[in-house]
Amino acid sequence: MTDTDITSGTMDGMGPKGTKIGLLRVLGPAHVWALGVGIVLVGEYMGWNFSVGKGGAYASLIACWFAGILYTCVAMIDSEVTSTVASAGGQYTQAKHIIGPLMAFNVGLYLVFAYTMLEAANAVTVGFLVQEVAGMTGHAEALNDDAFIVLAIVFLAWLNYRGVLATLTFSLVITAFAFVAILLLFVMTAPAVAPGLLQHGELMSGGASLPYGWIGIIAAMHFGLWYYLGIEGTTQAAEEVRSPARSLPFGTLAGIMTLIIAATLTWYVCAGLMPWEYLGQAGTPLFDAARLTGSTFLVVILGIGTLFATLASANGCINDASRAWFAMGRDKYLPGWFGAVHPVYRTPYRAIIFLVPIALLFALQLPLDQIITFSILSGLLGYTFMPINMILFRRKWPLDSIKRGYEHPMHPLPAITLLALCGVTYFAVFLGYGTQLIAMIAFYIVASLWFHFWRYRFVDRGAQFTMPWPKPRGY
Amino acid sequence: MAHYKPPRQSRAGQIIDVFVLLALTIGALYVPLWLKLAGSSTVQTPVENPTWESLGQSPVMVERWAQLGYATPADAHDLITTRFDYAFTWGAVALMVVVIVGYFVMMLRLSEKEYRDVISEKFDGK
């Protein structure tokens, strides 16, 4: 077994050789939890409900749990690999060391686009919420939400520019608030507290039970991913946590447990309050649920919760997308100019600034369901990479060759399950959004050819491999 | 394996590379929109002179629609009658499978070729 591993206090294999100024190691497991849950919790506040539109409320619940299985596999696999490859860039860096440069380039793009589009979707929801509140408080004309979208993205980018500790501490506080808001809504709508308010039987019977039949259950998997999309982003903080071998698996696995609970509670409350046709197209379903309770207190709490969840998510997305872009720049997969660290704040400031106009372009120009679909597709391609990555990782570096901070059980069952569920989800996206699916894959094919035949010439071959691992078996 | 020394890229070249990536991204997002191929495949099944009954809504549903600001059946008509169109051909499914599997196979093969160079340069002679 190699004498350098991630659990070592003196030589943990972080960062590339020759790095003079690295990212600052200041984060603990709570920040990792906040980063993962913070990015994703917004999925309970908006977006998940489109799965109700694609298959009905029962289909959405089944999709919620199957997507929960998919993401549990993601969290298990990610925790093992990341507890060994703890470096900025997360899955991008994993792919670079385990599969190869072209796969890494694609994974880097998956991460950047999944997070940047999720950030854009969050900003759109902030604007939509402001419009809703303006209407409820007597504003006669429709409020232009563009200014609020721009403000949200620029403010959070500035926060990220200034430093990661302040950014993720901010996320920790507002994520905790948004999670407590969901718990409060669940308690205050429970039959013991508000008899007759939840009407699952009336709202989900007859034609409303499975409006599209069994194919609707498969179709619902498309937006079912939105309940959890982004939990894998915990790995992006790997170079900035104090104890990656402990914090990353703990934060990631605690995060997925939190989210499965929050997702089920969210579905339970919303499906018992709204007709599925409304719920399936609502912009802010939890806020609408609070309105239906008739409680001003809950309306205020869930309104603030929606705002906080979207801000926490956008905040985490800027953090993650910029780390992936930065890591690719540092390796010359992209122009090296992006690989700079701010001399004072120690953040990847050029990557943060560069991605701001791209997020604005998405947020100001595209409809919400399409932004979400593009984000889901990039995430889905990343999840397809993970089982391949895991199988090759165990084959090239068996358990006795590198010490892991965490070893996931029952290998290769989680990898095979993940691959099968990804296959189902591709078909789910195909049902209703087939053109986007083909357009997105076409983009990645052209980008891959561009990288392989042009960009890769600027990359230093051996220097990419920065982990202090032994030579992989079979090479 | 001899050490590969990458060429130094000019500033103009770096800028061009960024614009190429941006153009590809924007193309993937906007070309389907411009060709009017994007968006969900939905169909409308309009109901003339809609009533809550003809729209399939129970009394509890009607009460909730009213609380959400949809006072009449006409207000809620478009939301209720919009449905996804899940009709597909097996040929289209086969095309999707070929594109996705082909993409991953191509990527894994080219990656493997690049990876062998990386490992060779990193570990040869050690």
Side-chain angles (χ1 to χ4, degrees), chain A residues 219-242:
Chain A
M221 268 299 279
H222 169 191
F223 289 109
L225 259 60
W226 201 247
Y227 281 108
Y228 315 98
L229 191 131
I231 184 67
E232 69 280 6
T234 51
T235 59
Q236 297 298 325
E239 211 167 306
E240 292 155 280
V241 286
R242 289 188 297 268

Side-chain angles (χ1 to χ4, degrees), chain A residues 17 53-54 97-103 106 110 113 197 199 202-203 212 219 272-273 275-278 281 291-292 334-336 338 354 358 361-362 365-366 370 374 384 396-397 426 430-433 435-437 439 441 443-446 448 450 452 454-462 464-465 469-472 475, chain B residues 1 3-4 6-9 11 14-15 17-18 20-22 24-26 28-30 32-33 37-41 55 57-61 64-65 67-70 78-80 82-86 88-89 92-93 95-96 99-100 103-104 106-108 110-119 121-124 126:
Chain A
K17 286 177 182 170
K54 281 197 87 174
H97 287 87
I98 297 167
I99 299 184
L102 180 61
M103 183 84 237
N106 276 267
Y110 301 158
F113 290 125
L197 187 59
Q199 295 279 352
E202 280 290 326
L203 293 169
Y212 293 99
L273 282 170
W276 77 273
E277 296 97 330
Y278 178 86
Q281 299 173 65
R291 285 167 55 203
L292 286 169
L334 295 172
F338 291 113
F354 178 76
I358 297 178
L361 188 70
F362 294 140
Q365 297 290 326
L366 292 178
Q370 286 180 46
F374 280 124
T384 311
K396 292 178 181 178
W397 290 278
Y426 281 116
F430 170 78
L431 293 171
Y433 294 83
T435 312
Q436 276 94 333
L437 176 61
I441 303 277
F443 160 74
Y444 283 113
I445 289 173
V446 175
S448 295
W450 173 79
H452 183 76
W454 167 253
R455 182 72 219 171
Y456 190 55
R457 73 188 61 191
F458 299 109
V459 178
D460 195 337
R461 305 294 194 256
Q464 301 169 74
F465 198 102
W469 293 351
K471 193 174 184 178
Y475 287 84
Chain B
M1 180 188 169
H3 180 77
Y4 172 76
R8 189 176 169 81
Q9 193 179 23
R11 189 173 289 259
Q14 293 190 39
I15 293 170
D17 274 5
V18 170
V20 167
L21 261 185
L22 275 177
L24 284 174
T25 311
I26 293 168
L29 291 169
Y30 284 93
L33 283 178
L37 293 171
S40 54
S41 308
L55 292 173
Q57 303 299 298
S58 69
V60 171
M61 292 171 182
R64 298 293 159 91
W65 280 112
Q67 286 176 289
L68 289 164
Y70 297 83
D78 286 354
L79 281 182
I80 294 173
T82 300
R83 289 283 192 276
F84 279 95
D85 179 9
Y86 291 148
F88 65 88
T89 64
V93 175
L95 176 68
M96 178 194 73
V99 168
I100 294 171
Y103 162 64
F104 274 100
M106 176 201 78
M107 194 163 45
L108 288 171
L110 294 178
S111 284
E112 176 67 15
K113 190 166 169 282
E114 295 167 348
Y115 189 70
R116 286 195 174 273
D117 287 347
V118 171
I119 297 302
E121 189 171 300
K122 173 80 182 176
F123 291 98
D124 269 5
K126 291 187 181 178

Side-chain angles (χ1 to χ4, degrees), chain A residues 11-56:
Chain A
M11 190 168 179
D12 58 7
M14 299 299 140
K17 286 177 182 170
T19 300
K20 299 285 192 304
I21 299 176
L23 301 172
L24 208 54
R25 287 188 175 284
V26 288
L27 306 177
H31 293 103
V32 176
W33 175 88
L35 178 62
V37 177
I39 288 176
V40 186
L41 196 63
V42 71
E44 327 307 338
Y45 279 88
M46 63 92 174
W48 69 271
N49 53 301
F50 295 145
S51 66
V52 176
K54 281 197 87 174

Side-chain angles (χ1 to χ4, degrees), chain A residues 55-98:
Chain A
Y58 282 121
S60 175
L61 180 64
I62 295 168
C64 167
W65 287 342
F66 271 95
I69 295 170
L70 184 153
Y71 278 93
T72 303
C73 296
V74 165
M76 287 166 70
I77 289 172
D78 231 17
S79 292
E80 174 169 333
V81 186
T82 304
S83 76
T84 316
V85 190
S87 182
Q91 291 84 6
Y92 155 76
T93 309
Q94 297 173 15
K96 190 177 67 171
H97 287 87
I98 297 167

